[in-house]
Amino acid sequence: GSAPFELQWTGKPYYGGHWDIHVVCAGRMFTAQCSVFQHPRNLPYELVARSAYNGQVLWRRPIAQDFGESASLVVATPERLFLKDSGGVLVLDPETGTEVRRITATSDATQHCLWLLVSDGVLLTLTGPVQKYSKDADDYTNTLPKRRAQDEVNELFVGRELTAWDAATGAELWRFAEEKIDPAKLVAANGCAYLYAKRLYAACLDLKSGKPIWKTEAPIAEPKGPGMGWIDGHATVKNMAIHRQGATV
């Protein structure tokens, strides 16, 4: 469109968590009020669906307090909404919020979904260790327990198994198990799944079959220290931010 661009609507609560997840597709906006760190105390942990045209709330659905934050855990298409649900994925009708099915990515209680992607009719789920938070993680003060909790989350934010599913039927297509699959470096496009694992190599898999197409060695240094740390000039990911020489990209 052309200027002028004007405010079209506003909707309560007029604020949210710093690390909430927002997705817009086919005239609908989905907000997962999922921030753990600095979560507004009077806001429930829930997924809110609105009309993107007028802000009207279409439906709401509770989510777990340890749902996750600032990650690809909500994926929308015009026909379906894919929502992380612990170690599985809820497939919902995006207009009504009605549950269509649940896909179980892992039955291991110590693992859960870290990242979701949908491309070319294929849903990808990356599962890894359950993230941990201290009891005061949602406090606004910058306390040592909170910093330790954040560091713990950083160290655990690596995937161990990538699984592909038929997005229309929920049928499993293939699985790929590996150490330290980086969630934020996972990409699906043009019939391929691209990943970075073990901080050693990048690889490309056929999206429909999981068959390896290529693999390239590209080692990077392990992040130093329990927190974000310095990376010796190499880009890497701890939690959901990319860092290069200590600077957030």
mmCIF file of all heavy atoms in Angstrom, residues 114-164:
data_model
loop_
_atom_site.group_PDB
_atom_site.id
_atom_site.type_symbol
_atom_site.label_atom_id
_atom_site.label_comp_id
_atom_site.label_asym_id
_atom_site.label_seq_id
_atom_site.Cartn_x
_atom_site.Cartn_y
_atom_site.Cartn_z
ATOM 1 N N LEU A 114 11.363 -28.006 20.917
ATOM 2 C CA LEU A 114 12.124 -26.768 20.992
ATOM 3 C C LEU A 114 11.857 -25.846 19.814
ATOM 4 O O LEU A 114 12.047 -24.628 19.917
ATOM 5 C CB LEU A 114 13.626 -27.069 21.049
ATOM 6 C CG LEU A 114 14.149 -27.891 22.220
ATOM 7 C CD1 LEU A 114 15.639 -28.144 22.041
ATOM 8 C CD2 LEU A 114 13.876 -27.196 23.540
ATOM 9 N N TRP A 115 11.448 -26.433 18.680
ATOM 10 C CA TRP A 115 11.320 -25.638 17.451
ATOM 11 C C TRP A 115 10.345 -26.340 16.506
ATOM 12 O O TRP A 115 10.385 -27.571 16.364
ATOM 13 C CB TRP A 115 12.686 -25.490 16.776
ATOM 14 C CG TRP A 115 12.895 -24.229 15.995
ATOM 15 C CD1 TRP A 115 12.732 -24.054 14.650
ATOM 16 C CD2 TRP A 115 13.330 -22.966 16.511
ATOM 17 N NE1 TRP A 115 13.047 -22.770 14.299
ATOM 18 C CE2 TRP A 115 13.419 -22.074 15.423
ATOM 19 C CE3 TRP A 115 13.656 -22.510 17.794
ATOM 20 C CZ2 TRP A 115 13.818 -20.741 15.573
ATOM 21 C CZ3 TRP A 115 14.057 -21.188 17.945
ATOM 22 C CH2 TRP A 115 14.138 -20.322 16.841
ATOM 23 N N LEU A 116 9.478 -25.568 15.860
ATOM 24 C CA LEU A 116 8.533 -26.091 14.864
ATOM 25 C C LEU A 116 8.698 -25.318 13.564
ATOM 26 O O LEU A 116 8.873 -24.100 13.571
ATOM 27 C CB LEU A 116 7.079 -25.941 15.345
ATOM 28 C CG LEU A 116 6.699 -26.461 16.727
ATOM 29 C CD1 LEU A 116 5.217 -26.171 16.989
ATOM 30 C CD2 LEU A 116 6.989 -27.939 16.863
ATOM 31 N N LEU A 117 8.619 -26.041 12.449
ATOM 32 C CA LEU A 117 8.633 -25.426 11.125
ATOM 33 C C LEU A 117 7.638 -26.156 10.226
ATOM 34 O O LEU A 117 7.431 -27.365 10.380
ATOM 35 C CB LEU A 117 10.029 -25.508 10.489
ATOM 36 C CG LEU A 117 11.160 -24.687 11.099
ATOM 37 C CD1 LEU A 117 12.463 -24.982 10.364
ATOM 38 C CD2 LEU A 117 10.861 -23.201 11.070
ATOM 39 N N VAL A 118 7.043 -25.435 9.288
ATOM 40 C CA VAL A 118 6.176 -26.049 8.284
ATOM 41 C C VAL A 118 6.593 -25.534 6.914
ATOM 42 O O VAL A 118 6.729 -24.321 6.718
ATOM 43 C CB VAL A 118 4.688 -25.726 8.531
ATOM 44 C CG1 VAL A 118 3.833 -26.254 7.379
ATOM 45 C CG2 VAL A 118 4.215 -26.328 9.848
ATOM 46 N N SER A 119 6.808 -26.466 5.969
ATOM 47 C CA SER A 119 7.190 -26.089 4.622
ATOM 48 C C SER A 119 6.787 -27.201 3.663
ATOM 49 O O SER A 119 6.970 -28.387 3.967
ATOM 50 C CB SER A 119 8.704 -25.861 4.534
ATOM 51 O OG SER A 119 9.104 -25.518 3.220
ATOM 52 N N ASP A 120 6.234 -26.836 2.531
ATOM 53 C CA ASP A 120 5.891 -27.801 1.477
ATOM 54 C C ASP A 120 5.077 -28.968 2.011
ATOM 55 O O ASP A 120 5.293 -30.117 1.626
ATOM 56 C CB ASP A 120 7.166 -28.320 0.804
ATOM 57 C CG ASP A 120 7.941 -27.217 0.096
ATOM 58 O OD1 ASP A 120 7.295 -26.341 -0.512
ATOM 59 O OD2 ASP A 120 9.184 -27.216 0.168
ATOM 60 N N GLY A 121 4.131 -28.674 2.897
ATOM 61 C CA GLY A 121 3.256 -29.721 3.413
ATOM 62 C C GLY A 121 3.887 -30.625 4.458
ATOM 63 O O GLY A 121 3.327 -31.663 4.809
ATOM 64 N N VAL A 122 5.062 -30.240 4.967
ATOM 65 C CA VAL A 122 5.768 -31.048 5.970
ATOM 66 C C VAL A 122 5.947 -30.232 7.246
ATOM 67 O O VAL A 122 6.369 -29.069 7.201
ATOM 68 C CB VAL A 122 7.142 -31.515 5.447
ATOM 69 C CG1 VAL A 122 7.917 -32.248 6.538
ATOM 70 C CG2 VAL A 122 6.969 -32.413 4.224
ATOM 71 N N LEU A 123 5.617 -30.844 8.374
ATOM 72 C CA LEU A 123 5.862 -30.257 9.688
ATOM 73 C C LEU A 123 7.147 -30.841 10.256
ATOM 74 O O LEU A 123 7.320 -32.062 10.278
ATOM 75 C CB LEU A 123 4.697 -30.561 10.634
ATOM 76 C CG LEU A 123 4.932 -30.314 12.135
ATOM 77 C CD1 LEU A 123 5.066 -28.828 12.420
ATOM 78 C CD2 LEU A 123 3.804 -30.939 12.954
ATOM 79 N N LEU A 124 8.052 -29.981 10.706
ATOM 80 C CA LEU A 124 9.281 -30.428 11.359
ATOM 81 C C LEU A 124 9.194 -30.111 12.852
ATOM 82 O O LEU A 124 8.818 -28.996 13.233
ATOM 83 C CB LEU A 124 10.505 -29.729 10.771
ATOM 84 C CG LEU A 124 10.912 -30.068 9.339
ATOM 85 C CD1 LEU A 124 12.134 -29.252 8.937
ATOM 86 C CD2 LEU A 124 11.186 -31.557 9.178
ATOM 87 N N THR A 125 9.544 -31.096 13.679
ATOM 88 C CA THR A 125 9.627 -30.874 15.118
ATOM 89 C C THR A 125 11.045 -31.199 15.573
ATOM 90 O O THR A 125 11.593 -32.241 15.217
ATOM 91 C CB THR A 125 8.631 -31.753 15.892
ATOM 92 O OG1 THR A 125 8.913 -33.145 15.649
ATOM 93 C CG2 THR A 125 7.203 -31.445 15.482
ATOM 94 N N LEU A 126 11.626 -30.298 16.343
ATOM 95 C CA LEU A 126 12.930 -30.554 16.940
ATOM 96 C C LEU A 126 12.721 -30.703 18.440
ATOM 97 O O LEU A 126 12.205 -29.799 19.099
ATOM 98 C CB LEU A 126 13.896 -29.405 16.664
ATOM 99 C CG LEU A 126 15.299 -29.565 17.253
ATOM 100 C CD1 LEU A 126 16.023 -30.761 16.647
ATOM 101 C CD2 LEU A 126 16.119 -28.287 17.053
ATOM 102 N N THR A 127 13.103 -31.858 18.980
ATOM 103 C CA THR A 127 12.924 -32.112 20.401
ATOM 104 C C THR A 127 14.274 -32.145 21.105
ATOM 105 O O THR A 127 15.301 -32.508 20.519
ATOM 106 C CB THR A 127 12.190 -33.440 20.652
ATOM 107 O OG1 THR A 127 12.866 -34.503 19.958
ATOM 108 C CG2 THR A 127 10.760 -33.354 20.148
ATOM 109 N N GLY A 128 14.259 -31.731 22.384
ATOM 110 C CA GLY A 128 15.471 -31.701 23.185
ATOM 111 C C GLY A 128 15.120 -31.607 24.655
ATOM 112 O O GLY A 128 13.944 -31.677 25.024
ATOM 113 N N PRO A 129 16.126 -31.452 25.524
ATOM 114 C CA PRO A 129 15.890 -31.438 26.969
ATOM 115 C C PRO A 129 14.906 -30.354 27.408
ATOM 116 O O PRO A 129 14.901 -29.250 26.862
ATOM 117 C CB PRO A 129 17.285 -31.177 27.548
ATOM 118 C CG PRO A 129 18.224 -31.656 26.493
ATOM 119 C CD PRO A 129 17.555 -31.347 25.195
ATOM 120 N N VAL A 130 14.091 -30.687 28.382
ATOM 121 C CA VAL A 130 13.141 -29.734 28.947
ATOM 122 C C VAL A 130 13.902 -28.564 29.561
ATOM 123 O O VAL A 130 14.895 -28.755 30.259
ATOM 124 C CB VAL A 130 12.271 -30.418 30.027
ATOM 125 C CG1 VAL A 130 11.432 -29.390 30.774
ATOM 126 C CG2 VAL A 130 11.387 -31.482 29.395
ATOM 127 N N GLN A 131 13.464 -27.340 29.266
ATOM 128 C CA GLN A 131 14.092 -26.160 29.838
ATOM 129 C C GLN A 131 13.686 -26.030 31.305
ATOM 130 O O GLN A 131 12.602 -26.430 31.705
ATOM 131 C CB GLN A 131 13.663 -24.916 29.069
ATOM 132 C CG GLN A 131 14.075 -24.951 27.607
ATOM 133 C CD GLN A 131 13.633 -23.708 26.863
ATOM 134 O OE1 GLN A 131 13.905 -22.605 27.286
ATOM 135 N NE2 GLN A 131 12.937 -23.898 25.771
ATOM 136 N N LYS A 132 14.582 -25.456 32.097
ATOM 137 C CA LYS A 132 14.327 -25.301 33.527
ATOM 138 C C LYS A 132 14.356 -23.823 33.905
ATOM 139 O O LYS A 132 15.125 -23.052 33.350
ATOM 140 C CB LYS A 132 15.376 -26.068 34.337
ATOM 141 C CG LYS A 132 15.376 -27.567 34.080
ATOM 142 C CD LYS A 132 16.449 -28.260 34.897
ATOM 143 C CE LYS A 132 16.476 -29.758 34.622
ATOM 144 N NZ LYS A 132 17.547 -30.441 35.390
ATOM 145 N N TYR A 133 13.516 -23.465 34.841
ATOM 146 C CA TYR A 133 13.430 -22.089 35.307
ATOM 147 C C TYR A 133 13.431 -22.058 36.833
ATOM 148 O O TYR A 133 12.861 -22.938 37.478
ATOM 149 C CB TYR A 133 12.141 -21.421 34.804
ATOM 150 C CG TYR A 133 11.995 -21.396 33.313
ATOM 151 C CD1 TYR A 133 11.334 -22.417 32.640
ATOM 152 C CD2 TYR A 133 12.516 -20.347 32.562
ATOM 153 C CE1 TYR A 133 11.186 -22.390 31.261
ATOM 154 C CE2 TYR A 133 12.385 -20.319 31.186
ATOM 155 C CZ TYR A 133 11.713 -21.340 30.538
ATOM 156 O OH TYR A 133 11.575 -21.306 29.188
ATOM 157 N N SER A 134 14.049 -21.041 37.424
ATOM 158 C CA SER A 134 13.975 -20.891 38.871
ATOM 159 C C SER A 134 12.588 -20.385 39.244
ATOM 160 O O SER A 134 11.839 -19.875 38.407
ATOM 161 C CB SER A 134 15.035 -19.901 39.358
ATOM 162 O OG SER A 134 14.735 -18.590 38.911
ATOM 163 N N LYS A 135 12.210 -20.523 40.524
ATOM 164 C CA LYS A 135 10.875 -20.134 40.962
ATOM 165 C C LYS A 135 10.634 -18.633 40.828
ATOM 166 O O LYS A 135 9.491 -18.197 40.714
ATOM 167 C CB LYS A 135 10.666 -20.573 42.415
ATOM 168 C CG LYS A 135 10.618 -22.084 42.592
ATOM 169 C CD LYS A 135 10.391 -22.466 44.044
ATOM 170 C CE LYS A 135 10.341 -23.990 44.197
ATOM 171 N NZ LYS A 135 10.128 -24.399 45.607
ATOM 172 N N ASP A 136 11.709 -17.848 40.839
ATOM 173 C CA ASP A 136 11.543 -16.397 40.740
ATOM 174 C C ASP A 136 11.915 -15.877 39.349
ATOM 175 O O ASP A 136 12.229 -14.716 39.162
ATOM 176 C CB ASP A 136 12.376 -15.681 41.798
ATOM 177 C CG ASP A 136 13.880 -15.846 41.562
ATOM 178 O OD1 ASP A 136 14.265 -16.736 40.786
ATOM 179 O OD2 ASP A 136 14.647 -15.083 42.163
ATOM 180 N N ALA A 137 11.859 -16.754 38.349
ATOM 181 C CA ALA A 137 12.284 -16.355 37.005
ATOM 182 C C ALA A 137 11.435 -15.232 36.436
ATOM 183 O O ALA A 137 11.904 -14.453 35.608
ATOM 184 C CB ALA A 137 12.242 -17.563 36.063
ATOM 185 N N ASP A 138 10.149 -15.137 36.870
ATOM 186 C CA ASP A 138 9.284 -14.111 36.308
ATOM 187 C C ASP A 138 9.357 -12.793 37.086
ATOM 188 O O ASP A 138 8.625 -11.853 36.801
ATOM 189 C CB ASP A 138 7.837 -14.595 36.251
ATOM 190 C CG ASP A 138 7.275 -14.938 37.624
ATOM 191 O OD1 ASP A 138 8.066 -14.975 38.575
ATOM 192 O OD2 ASP A 138 6.056 -15.165 37.722
ATOM 193 N N ASP A 139 10.275 -12.715 38.063
ATOM 194 C CA ASP A 139 10.468 -11.487 38.814
ATOM 195 C C ASP A 139 11.228 -10.489 37.943
ATOM 196 O O ASP A 139 12.134 -10.853 37.209
ATOM 197 C CB ASP A 139 11.266 -11.786 40.087
ATOM 198 C CG ASP A 139 11.245 -10.637 41.070
ATOM 199 O OD1 ASP A 139 11.209 -9.476 40.616
ATOM 200 O OD2 ASP A 139 11.266 -10.900 42.276
ATOM 201 N N TYR A 140 10.871 -9.205 38.049
ATOM 202 C CA TYR A 140 11.514 -8.202 37.213
ATOM 203 C C TYR A 140 12.916 -7.833 37.680
ATOM 204 O O TYR A 140 13.679 -7.210 36.956
ATOM 205 C CB TYR A 140 10.649 -6.927 37.155
ATOM 206 C CG TYR A 140 9.659 -6.954 36.039
ATOM 207 C CD1 TYR A 140 8.453 -7.630 36.181
ATOM 208 C CD2 TYR A 140 9.919 -6.345 34.816
ATOM 209 C CE1 TYR A 140 7.527 -7.664 35.156
ATOM 210 C CE2 TYR A 140 9.010 -6.378 33.774
ATOM 211 C CZ TYR A 140 7.806 -7.036 33.957
ATOM 212 O OH TYR A 140 6.896 -7.087 32.931
ATOM 213 N N THR A 141 13.273 -8.195 38.918
ATOM 214 C CA THR A 141 14.598 -7.848 39.417
ATOM 215 C C THR A 141 15.661 -8.755 38.811
ATOM 216 O O THR A 141 15.413 -9.926 38.531
ATOM 217 C CB THR A 141 14.646 -7.964 40.948
ATOM 218 O OG1 THR A 141 14.322 -9.306 41.325
ATOM 219 C CG2 THR A 141 13.656 -7.007 41.586
ATOM 220 N N ASN A 142 16.848 -8.212 38.617
ATOM 221 C CA ASN A 142 17.939 -8.968 38.007
ATOM 222 C C ASN A 142 18.724 -9.678 39.109
ATOM 223 O O ASN A 142 19.802 -9.263 39.500
ATOM 224 C CB ASN A 142 18.849 -8.030 37.215
ATOM 225 C CG ASN A 142 19.886 -8.800 36.426
ATOM 226 O OD1 ASN A 142 19.681 -9.968 36.106
ATOM 227 N ND2 ASN A 142 20.985 -8.156 36.119
ATOM 228 N N THR A 143 18.167 -10.772 39.617
ATOM 229 C CA THR A 143 18.770 -11.475 40.741
ATOM 230 C C THR A 143 19.720 -12.563 40.268
ATOM 231 O O THR A 143 19.638 -13.033 39.131
ATOM 232 C CB THR A 143 17.681 -12.118 41.615
ATOM 233 O OG1 THR A 143 16.984 -13.088 40.817
ATOM 234 C CG2 THR A 143 16.702 -11.080 42.121
ATOM 235 N N LEU A 144 20.622 -12.973 41.164
ATOM 236 C CA LEU A 144 21.557 -14.043 40.834
ATOM 237 C C LEU A 144 20.829 -15.353 40.511
ATOM 238 O O LEU A 144 21.180 -16.016 39.525
ATOM 239 C CB LEU A 144 22.545 -14.252 41.978
ATOM 240 C CG LEU A 144 23.603 -15.346 41.762
ATOM 241 C CD1 LEU A 144 24.439 -15.047 40.530
ATOM 242 C CD2 LEU A 144 24.503 -15.462 42.997
ATOM 243 N N PRO A 145 19.793 -15.757 41.288
ATOM 244 C CA PRO A 145 19.060 -16.983 40.918
ATOM 245 C C PRO A 145 18.475 -16.903 39.520
ATOM 246 O O PRO A 145 18.463 -17.889 38.786
ATOM 247 C CB PRO A 145 17.958 -17.062 41.982
ATOM 248 C CG PRO A 145 18.515 -16.345 43.156
ATOM 249 C CD PRO A 145 19.312 -15.209 42.579
ATOM 250 N N LYS A 146 18.007 -15.715 39.143
ATOM 251 C CA LYS A 146 17.435 -15.572 37.803
ATOM 252 C C LYS A 146 18.513 -15.742 36.733
ATOM 253 O O LYS A 146 18.312 -16.409 35.725
ATOM 254 C CB LYS A 146 16.758 -14.218 37.633
ATOM 255 C CG LYS A 146 16.099 -14.068 36.262
ATOM 256 C CD LYS A 146 15.706 -12.640 35.977
ATOM 257 C CE LYS A 146 14.644 -12.181 36.925
ATOM 258 N NZ LYS A 146 14.176 -10.825 36.586
ATOM 259 N N ARG A 147 19.678 -15.111 36.969
ATOM 260 C CA ARG A 147 20.765 -15.239 35.997
ATOM 261 C C ARG A 147 21.200 -16.692 35.877
ATOM 262 O O ARG A 147 21.494 -17.171 34.784
ATOM 263 C CB ARG A 147 21.932 -14.331 36.396
ATOM 264 C CG ARG A 147 21.631 -12.847 36.267
ATOM 265 C CD ARG A 147 22.909 -12.025 36.232
ATOM 266 N NE ARG A 147 23.680 -12.131 37.442
ATOM 267 C CZ ARG A 147 23.528 -11.357 38.501
ATOM 268 N NH1 ARG A 147 22.579 -10.428 38.518
ATOM 269 N NH2 ARG A 147 24.308 -11.500 39.566
ATOM 270 N N ARG A 148 21.248 -17.396 37.009
ATOM 271 C CA ARG A 148 21.616 -18.803 36.976
ATOM 272 C C ARG A 148 20.576 -19.613 36.219
ATOM 273 O O ARG A 148 20.913 -20.525 35.470
ATOM 274 C CB ARG A 148 21.772 -19.332 38.398
ATOM 275 C CG ARG A 148 23.042 -18.844 39.098
ATOM 276 C CD ARG A 148 23.077 -19.300 40.543
ATOM 277 N NE ARG A 148 24.338 -18.917 41.181
ATOM 278 C CZ ARG A 148 24.552 -18.984 42.484
ATOM 279 N NH1 ARG A 148 23.589 -19.411 43.287
ATOM 280 N NH2 ARG A 148 25.711 -18.626 42.987
ATOM 281 N N ALA A 149 19.306 -19.275 36.417
ATOM 282 C CA ALA A 149 18.240 -19.985 35.711
ATOM 283 C C ALA A 149 18.360 -19.759 34.211
ATOM 284 O O ALA A 149 18.217 -20.680 33.415
ATOM 285 C CB ALA A 149 16.869 -19.516 36.210
ATOM 286 N N GLN A 150 18.635 -18.511 33.805
ATOM 287 C CA GLN A 150 18.784 -18.213 32.390
ATOM 288 C C GLN A 150 19.974 -18.963 31.812
ATOM 289 O O GLN A 150 19.908 -19.493 30.703
ATOM 290 C CB GLN A 150 18.957 -16.709 32.182
ATOM 291 C CG GLN A 150 19.112 -16.296 30.725
ATOM 292 C CD GLN A 150 17.852 -16.537 29.925
ATOM 293 O OE1 GLN A 150 16.829 -15.937 30.168
ATOM 294 N NE2 GLN A 150 17.935 -17.449 28.970
ATOM 295 N N ASP A 151 21.069 -19.018 32.561
ATOM 296 C CA ASP A 151 22.235 -19.757 32.090
ATOM 297 C C ASP A 151 21.889 -21.226 31.894
ATOM 298 O O ASP A 151 22.330 -21.867 30.940
ATOM 299 C CB ASP A 151 23.382 -19.639 33.096
ATOM 300 C CG ASP A 151 23.975 -18.236 33.121
ATOM 301 O OD1 ASP A 151 23.678 -17.471 32.193
ATOM 302 O OD2 ASP A 151 24.709 -17.919 34.064
ATOM 303 N N GLU A 152 21.086 -21.768 32.805
ATOM 304 C CA GLU A 152 20.725 -23.180 32.707
ATOM 305 C C GLU A 152 19.906 -23.426 31.443
ATOM 306 O O GLU A 152 20.112 -24.388 30.727
ATOM 307 C CB GLU A 152 19.923 -23.591 33.942
ATOM 308 C CG GLU A 152 19.648 -25.077 34.028
ATOM 309 C CD GLU A 152 19.026 -25.466 35.362
ATOM 310 O OE1 GLU A 152 18.418 -24.614 36.003
ATOM 311 O OE2 GLU A 152 19.152 -26.635 35.723
ATOM 312 N N VAL A 153 18.984 -22.513 31.167
ATOM 313 C CA VAL A 153 18.196 -22.631 29.944
ATOM 314 C C VAL A 153 19.104 -22.580 28.719
ATOM 315 O O VAL A 153 18.968 -23.362 27.786
ATOM 316 C CB VAL A 153 17.146 -21.498 29.857
ATOM 317 C CG1 VAL A 153 16.460 -21.513 28.507
ATOM 318 C CG2 VAL A 153 16.107 -21.674 30.946
ATOM 319 N N ASN A 154 20.066 -21.653 28.739
ATOM 320 C CA ASN A 154 20.985 -21.522 27.606
ATOM 321 C C ASN A 154 21.717 -22.828 27.321
ATOM 322 O O ASN A 154 21.828 -23.262 26.189
ATOM 323 C CB ASN A 154 22.021 -20.428 27.884
ATOM 324 C CG ASN A 154 21.397 -19.051 27.931
ATOM 325 O OD1 ASN A 154 20.318 -18.851 27.402
ATOM 326 N ND2 ASN A 154 22.071 -18.123 28.572
ATOM 327 N N GLU A 155 22.211 -23.460 28.375
ATOM 328 C CA GLU A 155 22.986 -24.677 28.189
ATOM 329 C C GLU A 155 22.124 -25.821 27.660
ATOM 330 O O GLU A 155 22.605 -26.705 26.971
ATOM 331 C CB GLU A 155 23.620 -25.085 29.522
ATOM 332 C CG GLU A 155 24.689 -24.128 30.022
ATOM 333 C CD GLU A 155 25.858 -24.017 29.063
ATOM 334 O OE1 GLU A 155 26.189 -25.003 28.393
ATOM 335 O OE2 GLU A 155 26.440 -22.926 28.980
ATOM 336 N N LEU A 156 20.838 -25.815 27.978
ATOM 337 C CA LEU A 156 19.965 -26.919 27.586
ATOM 338 C C LEU A 156 19.320 -26.722 26.217
ATOM 339 O O LEU A 156 18.677 -27.628 25.708
ATOM 340 C CB LEU A 156 18.855 -27.093 28.638
ATOM 341 C CG LEU A 156 19.303 -27.643 29.988
ATOM 342 C CD1 LEU A 156 18.157 -27.576 30.976
ATOM 343 C CD2 LEU A 156 19.805 -29.068 29.852
ATOM 344 N N PHE A 157 19.454 -25.525 25.635
ATOM 345 C CA PHE A 157 18.707 -25.240 24.416
ATOM 346 C C PHE A 157 19.394 -25.818 23.179
ATOM 347 O O PHE A 157 19.901 -25.112 22.322
ATOM 348 C CB PHE A 157 18.496 -23.735 24.265
ATOM 349 C CG PHE A 157 17.415 -23.377 23.295
ATOM 350 C CD1 PHE A 157 16.087 -23.647 23.564
ATOM 351 C CD2 PHE A 157 17.715 -22.778 22.088
ATOM 352 C CE1 PHE A 157 15.092 -23.321 22.682
ATOM 353 C CE2 PHE A 157 16.730 -22.445 21.177
ATOM 354 C CZ PHE A 157 15.410 -22.718 21.480
ATOM 355 N N VAL A 158 19.433 -27.138 23.110
ATOM 356 C CA VAL A 158 19.946 -27.847 21.940
ATOM 357 C C VAL A 158 19.030 -29.032 21.667
ATOM 358 O O VAL A 158 18.528 -29.670 22.585
ATOM 359 C CB VAL A 158 21.391 -28.348 22.139
ATOM 360 C CG1 VAL A 158 22.363 -27.184 22.149
ATOM 361 C CG2 VAL A 158 21.534 -29.152 23.415
ATOM 362 N N GLY A 159 18.785 -29.308 20.381
ATOM 363 C CA GLY A 159 17.924 -30.418 20.020
ATOM 364 C C GLY A 159 18.683 -31.730 19.899
ATOM 365 O O GLY A 159 19.904 -31.740 19.719
ATOM 366 N N ARG A 160 17.937 -32.813 20.004
ATOM 367 C CA ARG A 160 18.522 -34.141 19.886
ATOM 368 C C ARG A 160 17.866 -34.990 18.802
ATOM 369 O O ARG A 160 18.447 -35.987 18.369
ATOM 370 C CB ARG A 160 18.431 -34.870 21.231
ATOM 371 C CG ARG A 160 19.295 -34.254 22.321
ATOM 372 C CD ARG A 160 19.177 -35.003 23.627
ATOM 373 N NE ARG A 160 20.044 -34.439 24.648
ATOM 374 C CZ ARG A 160 20.026 -34.812 25.924
ATOM 375 N NH1 ARG A 160 19.188 -35.760 26.329
ATOM 376 N NH2 ARG A 160 20.845 -34.248 26.792
ATOM 377 N N GLU A 161 16.659 -34.608 18.385
ATOM 378 C CA GLU A 161 16.002 -35.390 17.343
ATOM 379 C C GLU A 161 15.101 -34.490 16.505
ATOM 380 O O GLU A 161 14.262 -33.756 17.023
ATOM 381 C CB GLU A 161 15.176 -36.527 17.952
ATOM 382 C CG GLU A 161 14.595 -37.469 16.891
ATOM 383 C CD GLU A 161 13.991 -38.718 17.497
ATOM 384 O OE1 GLU A 161 13.118 -38.567 18.387
ATOM 385 O OE2 GLU A 161 14.374 -39.831 17.103
ATOM 386 N N LEU A 162 15.294 -34.574 15.194
ATOM 387 C CA LEU A 162 14.477 -33.855 14.227
ATOM 388 C C LEU A 162 13.532 -34.857 13.577
ATOM 389 O O LEU A 162 13.971 -35.897 13.079
ATOM 390 C CB LEU A 162 15.373 -33.194 13.175
ATOM 391 C CG LEU A 162 14.673 -32.399 12.067
ATOM 392 C CD1 LEU A 162 13.956 -31.190 12.643
ATOM 393 C CD2 LEU A 162 15.686 -31.971 11.012
ATOM 394 N N THR A 163 12.232 -34.553 13.591
ATOM 395 C CA THR A 163 11.237 -35.468 13.036
ATOM 396 C C THR A 163 10.363 -34.741 12.026
ATOM 397 O O THR A 163 9.986 -33.584 12.248
ATOM 398 C CB THR A 163 10.339 -36.060 14.146
ATOM 399 O OG1 THR A 163 11.162 -36.586 15.177
ATOM 400 C CG2 THR A 163 9.465 -37.176 13.597
ATOM 401 N N ALA A 164 10.039 -35.402 10.932
ATOM 402 C CA ALA A 164 9.186 -34.829 9.892
ATOM 403 C C ALA A 164 7.841 -35.539 9.889
ATOM 404 O O ALA A 164 7.761 -36.762 10.052
ATOM 405 C CB ALA A 164 9.858 -34.951 8.525
#
